[in-house]
Amino acid sequence: DDLVSARFEAEVIVRAATEADLPGIHRIHSAAVLETTATWDEVPWSWEERLAWWHEHQEDRTTPVFVAECEGEVAGFSYLSWYRPKIGYRFTREDTVYVDPRYHRRGIGLLLVGRVVEAAAQIVKTVEPKLLPLPNTARALPPCPREAALALA
């Protein structure tokens, strides 16, 4: 089908996010809060909260933010954040990925996960992807069949 093949031909660039990407990041996250169960937030963040989040990530090189740019706009984003404040978790980071629903089923989530895991490998002591219990209408593949079986049991 020509429409389907055309949909996958757009170039996707995954790169470090800049402050200019914040409106796109904010738009995608706000929609996820309102329309999905992929976040534990119940109301969209204010612009001030988004800016504070951005500045926290910019001040700590171990919590990078990446965007997937497609067709001139932010199609998705991923980032690393601190997992827990306890000292034993100081080398542990949590990864988060969001993709605009208009860009689902194009492999963008996989590209964003790959980039954030690559960054984590350079930053933290160990990299051990985990499957998180997030209902996801995009039906992304789990990182490990064993963990997927445990999550589905």
Side-chain angles (χ1 to χ4, degrees):
D1 180 74
D2 290 336
L3 180 61
V4 172
S5 60
R7 193 176 92 174
F8 287 88
E9 290 177 8
E11 182 181 12
V12 177
I13 300 166
V14 177
R15 57 173 173 76
T18 68
E19 194 162 348
D21 297 316
L22 287 180
I25 289 170
H26 192 64
R27 173 183 50 79
I28 292 167
H29 185 262
S30 295
V33 170
L34 294 172
E35 300 167 10
T36 75
T37 58
T39 173
W40 294 100
D41 294 309
E42 295 181 347
V43 295
W45 294 10
S46 68
W47 185 249
E48 291 74 22
E49 289 171 310
R50 176 61 58 206
L51 286 174
W53 170 87
W54 173 253
H55 291 298
E56 287 172 13
H57 282 270
Q58 293 308 293
E59 291 169 4
D60 183 349
R61 72 168 194 83
T62 72
T63 59
V65 180
F66 301 99
V67 294
E69 184 181 326
C70 185
E71 300 169 341
E73 73 173 329
V74 175
F77 68 101
S78 62
Y79 61 93
L80 292 175
S81 54
W82 284 81
Y83 181 65
R84 298 276 190 273
K86 293 182 179 181
I87 191 70
Y89 290 112
R90 70 187 176 280
F91 298 115
T92 304
R93 297 296 176 275
E94 176 180 33
D95 68 301
T96 301
V97 178
Y98 289 96
V99 177
D100 184 319
R102 295 173 300 148
Y103 293 96
H104 282 185
R105 311 304 295 170
R106 298 188 192 192
I108 292 172
L110 202 55
L111 291 171
L112 285 164
V113 167
R115 183 63 188 97
V116 82
V117 168
E118 179 183 288
Q122 301 299 316
I123 296 167
V124 298
K125 202 169 191 176
T126 61
V127 176
E128 186 177 339
K130 295 286 185 190
L131 177 66
L132 298 178
L134 300 178
N136 186 342
T137 58
R139 298 188 187 267
L141 296 174
C144 170
R146 179 182 155 275
E147 288 177 290
L150 292 173
L152 296 173

